[in-house]
Amino acid sequence: DQGWLNTQSRDFEIRKDDGDLNVSMNNGYSIQAPSLAWKDRSREIVSEEPVRIFGRGFRIQGDRLIVRLENQEFSVVGDVHVTQDP
């Protein structure tokens, strides 16, 4: 619904005004969050808002997300809850 792009640093942010963005990754994970930002220099996707991640048989939710593409690692921070799907 809105966003910004810094053409010099190649950083950008996208934001959904009502509800969550739903991003499907090619590794089978889905991320839902009100906003996501790309930080080009550190090659990170971040959200400073509540986030939910859906994977094969589990769900993770927390207050913040950091995805490091360099090593394909992600961190969910703050009030983290993990549930396993039956």
Side-chain angles (χ1 to χ4, degrees):
D1 291 338
Q2 61 179 296
W4 58 265
L5 167 67
N6 182 320
T7 56
Q8 289 185 340
S9 68
R10 295 186 293 203
D11 294 348
F12 68 86
E13 180 177 308
I14 54 176
R15 172 176 298 282
K16 185 94 169 144
D17 287 335
D18 186 27
D20 288 334
L21 297 165
N22 189 3
V23 178
S24 297
M25 310 288 276
N26 61 2
N27 59 8
Y29 294 106
S30 293
I31 300 171
Q32 292 181 346
S35 68
L36 292 169
W38 168 253
K39 296 183 178 186
D40 194 67
R41 186 173 190 169
S42 59
R43 298 188 43 78
E44 293 178 341
I45 299 169
V46 299
S47 179
E48 301 292 336
E49 299 182 79
V51 64
R52 289 184 306 278
I53 299 173
F54 300 89
R56 295 176 198 104
F58 68 90
R59 286 178 276 166
I60 303 170
Q61 64 184 42
D63 293 337
R64 189 168 162 244
L65 172 70
I66 304 168
V67 179
R68 294 175 187 87
L69 294 185
E70 200 66 33
N71 57 9
Q72 296 188 0
E73 173 183 290
F74 70 87
S75 300
V76 178
V77 182
D79 198 24
V80 176
H81 298 270
V82 179
T83 55
Q84 186 174 3
D85 293 335

